[in-house]
Amino acid sequence: MLAAQRQARILEEVQRTGGVRVNDLTRLLGVSDMTVRRDLDVLDSRGLLTKVHGGATVRRSGSTDEPAFTVKAEMEQPAKDAIARTAAALVRPGTAIGISGGSTTYTLARHLVGVPDLTVVTNSLRVADVLHAHEAGHPGGNQTVILTGGMRTPSEALVGPIAVQAIRTLHLDQVFLGVYGMDAQAGYTSPNLMESETNRALVAAARNLVVVADHTKWGVVGLSAFAGLSDAAVLVTDDGLGDEAREVLADEVGELVVAEREG
């Protein structure tokens, strides 16, 4: 098993149980305790977990904590890929869609590169890069990508008054929105006030709102709410979501779609 694979497995265990011990990881992974400790050091230094004596715990975040895109992109990869594949099947050729910033929407963009006659409005630098790179490598491609202006966030999104003004003039068939957290009382939230305002503009521009969020987002509350659970026509999540959360969401959103992770 490669180091990156071990570390991804460690993160899954931490997210699943809330905390792990070194000796349990050595048995699970079939490696020495020194190897496990080095992996924990790496993951702790990148802000993915908190190393403690004898093991590691979930990294606790405040309502204004905003991890960098590179940190978020490495978390829950199988879940995000399952969500992205499922959400991409909702997109029809010849439509105009919006895609917000985030690591899940970035994964979604990679599944949309072959959809013809698609117009994509995004405030995500990463999403725009994926789509532009595909078009550049396929001369004669027929996707149109519109990147809003704005101020750059740690999650590689463009936010603020310029982004909001651009989005407010648009009418989009679908908007695919990634979220920092989703909660029964708070709804969909962000730790960044300007990103929250930009997300509100995307929600308002959408004829059909699709929220894409893995199971770890449930119960997480950021500083600012930008939509209620019921504002989503569709919520695409993964099969790691607990039964209680599924019941709440099934009652609130228009349609709850649970994607199955591979492996």
Side-chain angles (χ1 to χ4, degrees):
M1 186 181 292
L2 299 175
Q5 294 173 313
R6 285 197 315 272
Q7 290 161 14
R9 186 73 179 89
I10 290 170
L11 282 175
E12 289 176 5
E13 282 299 300
V14 172
Q15 292 289 343
R16 184 178 67 84
T17 64
V20 292
R21 297 183 64 83
V22 169
N23 57 1
D24 292 332
L25 291 174
T26 59
R27 289 193 295 270
L28 176 68
L29 302 171
V31 295
S32 69
D33 62 346
M34 290 301 296
T35 297
V36 169
R37 292 180 193 280
R38 282 196 297 268
D39 286 338
L40 294 179
D41 284 336
V42 170
L43 294 169
D44 181 83
S45 69
R46 292 159 72 183
L48 298 175
L49 51 70
T50 299
K51 187 178 179 184
V52 297
H53 180 70
T57 63
V58 172
R59 180 172 181 263
R60 302 299 177 186
S61 300
S63 64
T64 60
D65 183 68
E66 187 172 8
F69 177 88
T70 53
V71 171
K72 295 193 296 182
E74 296 190 26
M75 301 175 70
E76 299 296 331
Q77 291 177 338
K80 290 173 182 176
D81 194 60
I83 291 167
R85 286 196 315 271
T86 302
L90 302 176
V91 177
R92 297 290 175 261
T95 57
I97 68 171
I99 303 179
S100 76
S103 56
T104 306
T105 50
Y106 166 74
T107 307
L108 169 64
R110 293 159 60 187
H111 287 270
L112 294 177
V113 293
V115 180
D117 301 319
L118 196 63
T119 298
V120 179
V121 176
T122 184
N123 68 322
S124 168
L125 294 165
R126 296 282 184 153
V127 167
D129 284 346
V130 168
L131 299 176
H132 278 307
H134 181 266
E135 289 296 291
H138 297 77
N142 51 3
Q143 284 192 349
T144 301
V145 182
I146 302 169
L147 179 65
T148 70
M151 297 174 61
R152 188 172 184 166
T153 71
S155 60
E156 306 277 356
L158 298 176
V159 301
I162 294 174
V164 169
Q165 185 173 351
I167 294 167
R168 280 179 176 166
T169 65
L170 304 175
H171 302 281
L172 302 169
D173 296 305
Q174 289 175 301
V175 165
F176 292 85
L177 201 67
V179 301
Y180 172 83
M182 53 183 178
D183 179 80
Q185 282 73 46
Y188 305 113
T189 62
S190 169
N192 185 305
L193 290 173
M194 285 194 291
E195 183 172 49
S196 192
E197 185 64 25
T198 305
N199 284 345
R200 287 190 197 100
L202 283 167
V203 171
R207 181 178 299 171
N208 186 277
L209 176 65
V210 182
V211 172
V212 288
D214 71 73
H215 67 280
T216 66
K217 303 299 179 67
W218 179 251
V220 176
V221 178
L223 177 65
S224 176
F226 54 82
L229 295 180
S230 61
D231 289 322
V234 181
L235 170 65
V236 185
T237 186
D238 67 278
D239 55 4
L241 190 69
D243 291 340
E244 183 178 348
R246 293 191 193 199
E247 290 179 8
V248 173
L249 289 168
D251 287 340
E252 290 289 338
V253 304
E255 180 182 3
L256 176 64
V257 179
V258 180
E260 293 188 7
R261 293 168 291 180
E262 293 184 349

